[in-house]
Structure formats: structure tokens, C-alpha cells
Amino acid sequence: MNADLTRRDFFSALGCGVVILCAAESADAQESGRRSRNDARPQSISAWLHIGDDGTVTACTGKAEVGQNIRTSLAQAVAEELRVPLASIKLLMADTDLTPYDMGTFGSRTTPTMAPEIRKAAAAAREALVDIAASKWTVDRKTVRVADGKVSAAGHFAGFGELMRGQQLVQIIDPQVALTPAADWKIAGQSVPKVDGRDFVTGKHQYTHDLKRPRMLYGKVLRPPAFEAKLVSFDDAAAKQMPGVTTVRQGDFVAVAAPDSESAQRAVEALKAEWKTETQPSEGELFAYFKANARPGEDRQSGGSIDQGMAQAHQKLSQSYTVAYIAHVPLETRVAVAEWSRENKLTVWTGTQRPFGVRADLATEFGIHEENVRVIVSDTGSAYGGKHTSEYAIEAARLAKAAGQPVKVSWTRQEEFTWAYLRPAGVIEIASGVRQDGVITAWDFHNYNSGPSGMQITYDIPNRRIVFHPSKSPLRQGSYRGLAATANHFARETHIDELAHALNIDPLEFRLKNLKDERQRAVLVAAANRFGWGKQKAAAGHGYGISMGFEKGGYVATCAEVSVEGGRPKIVRVVEAFECGAVVNPDHLSNQIEGAIVMAIGGALFEQVHFENGKILNPMLSRYRVPRFGDVPVIETVLVDRKDLPSAGAGETPIVGLAPAVGNAMFQATGIRQRSLPFSS
Amino acid sequence: MPSITELDVNGITQRVNASSERSLLSVLRDDLDLTGTKYGCGEGQCGACTVLLDGEPVRSCITPVSKAAGKRITTIEGLEQEGSLDPLQEAFLEVGAFQCGYCTPGMIMSGTSLLRRNPKPTAAEIAHAMQGNICRCGTYPRIVAAVRMAAQRRPS
């Protein structure tokens, strides 16, 4: 981390004023307190905040903005605690030289972990302002008030900048500093618009794709014909003849850089390469492959005895569910611009969720210290869990080093589909037992390959075994919005629906019968009430479905109405209730829920990566369908705002409810059970 | 190979030197630094690169620059007039019709062209007309609402 960034760096980067450092770990509490420090910062700092002598408030975080609108929600947190208008907050994000170390922007962690830290820094800054004012005006600090960006006491009045003039103060704060309770929020908790929205509607916002450096070249990588291919022979003579072209070969990595993107394309086409490929598993054998290559499972949340539970059951059900590989398809493809200085320092601008991870990977790749690598992330054209890795940054940096000039590598859509990683496919097997009165007595749940997220149940089932079995994946796989929670919720909530139908009990009533968790019950009832569950029968060819779940601190329940014509489903209406503690920005929360529902439609109905023997067969948008305007149903969101509970993240969990709700609705409409995602497969 | 030397972009005559088969998108972005128009797929499937040629929407990623020569090219940068946003841009802001914002310029250009053809579109007409534009963040309902809001505010 930036332990080398000293107090002097702060003030040279940000100007005079006060810097408030927020210690992330309890070990730092021992050295916290109101005192200035002249030397290096402690090793674990999660956020910091600077108030300049012009009154500007700059809050710094290593998190990245990828469309989830945390630039806005974090600014709201700062404005709330500092008692200043939102517009006076500047958020500096995801720049490894200027912001604190952060593991990465994933797992819906910004709101539950980063927001409280940055909020503490702001609260401490407010108290520091009070101290400065009390000492300057020689008044009792109890009489000093901070409101609307001004500090006042009897007969005194000053803006932040005026108080800061000439100050160079660094404070490490007490992690226990008191925060404003959600019930008293005035700026947080409000639907303020995206803070820099105007730059997005005018095209001014500069994504990494839009960046141009002086003398910048355009890079292009020669991609092998199949995964795992080895380069046998290589000839770059023709490409090297082209004006301004640099070629690089490093092991199986072959690439070119050229003065413009068309020349780069021509140069890469002029490379002669022979590859050796190996036979690899294809789509048709995928699910058997997962089972055959499964490793010993990791037990999650098991208890009681499956044998005993099954012995108590009047009915038993065993079913298998599958999910396909799907792609993130961020509209801004992976891109990096790399530039080496004369001193051998590397700067990389890139769209990533892990700026510090990319920095570490670059340092390792080139054998240089992390202090000599700077990664800068512009607010990025979405990620959805897809931008965790460093390969495009490394590609650009290798080319830039060879060419001695800055190089941009922007992946094409086809590269994106082929060389990025995918949401894991998987098989889920469930065996369950249920009494005639509707009480579930046994729950034996096994996920092969797709992942453990969201396997845990909120149902009250004493005899349960819940196991994730890692396996080998023929395709490269990685994180995706909600991880495996979508797959696990799909399997579980479909299976629950099957049990309810087997017992002829209403699916809502069946869930409630097996559910004690009050928060889960509350969202389930909220969604059902808004939907009008049980109020009327579905029209001919239509069906209603319901699902619920819990993941990453958020409770979700989804109801769907679907019509099926000629076997083709059309989602008519979706109601989703969501509870993630105290709501930080109601409109942006609704936006995330709506967006997650729309994205989930793709994975539920038609998204699927097809592959054969190490090749992706549909690596383009004309052959990989994503949701479009015409696929969107009426969407209603119900926000269950719990001001008494800490805020949890909301970018992921709202995606998990749609597929099972729609599949269950399709069953009601047609009598045909959907056990494979996507339903068109 | 023949080259294009002049383009009329947002009412300004721009000098370029681009071989005629290059994509309009690449010339706008790389040569003229008009980066509001985005690359999304390179196959005319996502609409992120939408610009107007004599008022008609085209996918600039699959349009050779030669097709744009002699026509009025309008990009997202050309909508703001003397510091005032176009009503559709205003509506996008007011509705919050984006998340990451990468599709937004293309959405606004497609919406602008729709409103010129059909000043009072229904929600179904908007969805139909904009079917070729992808918002992966899934803000479609908000985009429809923004287009309708802009339509209602236009003097009829």
C-alpha cells in the first residue's frame, strides 16, 4: 500500500488544509486519537479526506465507479457528516498513487464497509473543524456549530477554507467516532441524482477507451485459434516492414503496435503463426464433465441428519438443475493504456474493479516495485464482476515497453466474448423430504462447479447438507454479478416450488410455513402483496411465479407473471421487494434493482455461451442475445427501508430472484418444469 | 487509395485525411477526438456508436467514412447549444436514465432521431425504434420514460 506516501505528498497533491485518515483495522486504534503525525501513515488506512484552504472537500477511496453509482452514494455519506452541500464534495477514486489501498470493488462491499469508513473520516473532519474554530476564536468547542458548509459560534462565522488557511494538519481518527444515525439523515437517504450526470449525457466523460496520450500507438494481440494453443512457429517479417509497426513475442504472446488502429489490424493480419491445439471438452458433455471431475466438497451450513430427515418425510423429491456459461458483456470492452517514463515507471489507465490488484500483477510481470506502477481507473463502462483481471493491462504495458511509446489496447467485442472469463456453468442436485402438512424435513443440496454463493438457506430446515463441489471448467470462469447466487437460488426456489405443487399447497404459503426469519418473511410478504398474489387466477396461457432469497446482506423476493405462446415465454410483469438495511439513495437503489432484473432476463431466457473443442461458437452480439427494449416487462420495485439496520450493498443480490420466479410462472402456465438456465436451451 | 479530406461535423467543416474505407467511428474518435461516440461491438448490433447523417441514425462502426462525406454529421457533442442541453439530454438527467453511462450517447442519438420522425411516440413505439440499442445495465424503462418526458416538453 501507499505507506511511502508521506504527509508532504498529501499537501503537494492536495494543497494545504486538514487530512483525516481513517484506520481500517482495530490494531490502529491503539495509535489513533487526535494528534498530528509528521511521518508515514500507518499501514492500514481505508479512506481519507482532505479539506483544502479553498474549502474544497476531497474524499479519497480506492473503490472504482462502474455504474453502481457509488461516486454519488459515498459523496452523500461525506456531505451528511460534514454538513455541507453535496456539490462541494469531490470524490477521488481508484488511483493507486492518490487513494488508499483497496482490495477491489466487488462483493457489494462499498456500502457496508467503505461508506462507514469514509463517513467516519468526514465526521472526524467536522470535529477537527470545530477544534480549529474553538482554538482560533478562543470559544468553548461546545458552542461551535457546523452547518451548510459554514462554521459558526457566538459572534464568529467562517467558511471551511477560511479556517483551513495555512493549516497542514494530519489526523488519524478514532474508529469509534460517532456517526449520524440513519433516522436523522438529511442528504444520505435521499434520491439525489448521479453527481456528474451531465458529463454522461453530453459525451464529455472520458472513459479509458476515450483516452489518448501523446505519441500513443494502438496495440493488437494475435489471438490463438483455440484455448490452450501453443505457438509452434512465428514470422513477423512482413509486419515489421510496415511503417511505425512494433511487434512483440513473449512465449505464446504475440502482439503488434502501430500508429493507428487500422494499421495495427493490418499488421496483426500480416503475422504468420502456426499453433498446436489440443482436443478439449465440448458443450454436449459439459455437465457430465463437471460431475466426473468434482473434487471433495466444501460443507456450508449443514446440520442435523439427512437420514433422519428423510425418514420423517411423507414425500421425497430428487432433481437436478443446470446453468450455462454466460458472458458479462460490459458495453465498454476491456481496455488499457500503458505508458513508461524514462525512469522506468509505469502508468496504466484501465477499466478495472481491482486497481491495486492490477498494480501488483504489473509489478510482478515486469519485476519492478509497486511504487513504480500507477494504475488509474476512470469511471468505467460497467463491469458486473467481469473486470477483475490484469491481462489487458499487461498486454498494453508489454507493447508500450517494446515500442518505447504509450500504447492502447482495446479489446474487440469478439475478444471480449472469447478471451475474458465467464460466469461458471454448473450442475445442482437437490434431494429433499417433506411432511404431508408442508414442513420440509430434509434438504440435501450439492452444487458442482458453479460456486457456493447463496447456497445458504433462510428456510427453517433442521436436517440439511449444503455442499459445494469444485470441479474442472473447460472454459475460463470467474466472478459475475451475484456470483453463483443466481444458480443456487434458481435451483432452490424451483425445487421449493416443485415441493409446493407436489403437496398442492400455495407456493407462498408453503414458503411461509417453513420460514421463521423475520426479514425474509417481510420482503416475501411485501412482494406478494404488491403483486396481488393469490388475488386472482392467471389468464389462459399465463402463469404466476414467486421466489425469495438472501445474499450479501440483502433480502429479496420476486413475483413474476409470464405468458407462454408457442413455447416461447414473454415476461409480462415483475414485482421485486428488496431490503438492504437503511436505504442510502432510494432512486439509485431502484435503478440497481430494475437493472438487475433486466440483466437477469438474459440469463433466465436466452443468454448462453456455446463452445466446442476450445472455441467459442457465438462470440458476437448478433449470435449472443442480451436483453433489449422489447424484452422488458412492467417492473415494480418495493424498497423495504430499515433505518434501524446498517446499509448493505445492493448491486448484486436483486439479480437472483428473477429466474426462479419466471420458471415457476412458466410451470403454472404450461405444466412444463424448467430446470435448465437458460430456458431456451 | 482514395481519401476523404473534409467532413461536416456538428455544423463545422473539419479537415481530415482518412482513407475512404475507414469507419466513420474511427475517424470521429481517433482523428477528430470526438470520443462521445462509443465503440461497443463493431457489428452494428449495440447502437453505442449511433450518429446522425442528415438527421438519419447510422451505426458509425460499420459506416465507411466515405458514406458520411458531404452529409451533415451530428454526434452527441453537437446536441448542446450554447451551454443548454437538448431536452432529451435534460430528460435523461432528470429521470436518471443510466448507470455506467456508456450507452447513453448512442441512446440519446437514437432517441433524438425518433423524436424528429415521431414527436409523440408511445412507449411501445420507443421500444420498437430503439430495439437496436443495448443498455447492459438494464435502464430501458428509464430510457423510455426519458424519451416520453422529452416528447411531452417539446412544443407541439
Side-chain angles (χ1 to χ4, degrees), chain B residues 2 6 39 44 57 81 88 98 108 110-111 117 119 121 125 136 146 153:
Chain B
E6 236 179 55
Y39 169 86
Q81 296 294 325
L88 186 56
F98 44 69
I108 291 177
S110 290
R117 290 194 309 273
E125 286 169 341
R136 186 57 164 164
R153 287 177 180 174

Side-chain angles (χ1 to χ4, degrees), chain A residues 312-332:
Chain A
Q312 294 160 13
H314 297 123
Q315 290 201 40
K316 293 171 196 168
L317 179 66
S318 289
Q319 279 299 352
S320 180
Y321 307 85
T322 62
V323 301
Y325 289 110
I326 61 174
H328 306 81
V329 199
L331 213 53
E332 184 184 24

